[in-house]
Amino acid sequence: MNRDAFLTRAQAAKVVGMRESTIGNWRARGWMSPEGERRHLTVRRRKDGTLGYRLGDVLDAERDTRNNPKSRRGGGRVAALRAAGDAEPRGAKELPRAGHEVLRLHCPPRPTSLSALAAAA
């Protein structure tokens, strides 16, 4: 893997499994490294005018954010609580993921043709 490759924001978000807005926030605000210093993504303007984000920085930001006990993302916070002797945060419970699979259970299928649309009416 070439950590010096530059990706679009959408590609970077897909690689680390986060939203595109998170990638933009890491660029604008930075993130805290394990050493306690604030780091920012390395970007380069592409020929089409969009920004390219360095893959190595994106992977580092995701790892550091996931492992940061103060972060709202990842298991770092729960891991820190477990290390302190508190098995789970108070009031924590496993919730189902709100995704397409949940929506499919509650929404009727969309009609795909005019005949199906007429039959539904």
Side-chain angles (χ1 to χ4, degrees):
M1 175 182 343
N2 182 6
R3 292 178 57 91
D4 290 327
F6 283 83
L7 308 173
T8 66
R9 186 187 296 204
Q11 291 169 335
K14 190 172 185 175
V15 165
V16 294
M18 298 204 177
R19 294 185 177 146
E20 290 183 38
S21 60
T22 302
I23 305 299
N25 287 340
W26 285 340
R27 177 185 161 259
R29 298 184 208 158
W31 75 94
M32 296 301 288
S33 70
E35 295 80 30
E37 60 188 44
R38 183 154 300 274
R39 295 186 55 198
H40 294 271
L41 294 178
T42 303
V43 295
R44 181 172 27 178
R45 182 81 49 192
R46 301 164 64 114
K47 290 179 183 177
D48 62 358
T50 61
L51 292 176
Y53 299 85
R54 185 176 169 271
L55 174 60
D57 289 347
V58 171
L59 294 173
D60 291 345
E62 188 276 331
R63 182 201 60 225
D64 293 347
T65 303
R66 181 175 18 93
N67 293 331
N68 186 342
K70 295 180 181 179
S71 174
R72 292 176 291 160
R73 300 189 189 285
R77 189 170 204 154
V78 174
L81 288 170
R82 285 187 181 140
D86 195 4
E88 292 295 328
R90 289 181 186 84
K93 55 185 171 182
E94 189 67 32
L95 298 175
R97 290 183 63 102
H100 295 290
E101 58 276 359
V102 174
L103 295 176
R104 282 191 199 115
L105 296 174
H106 299 291
C107 299
R110 284 191 227 168
T112 55
S113 66
L114 291 176
S115 59
L117 190 64

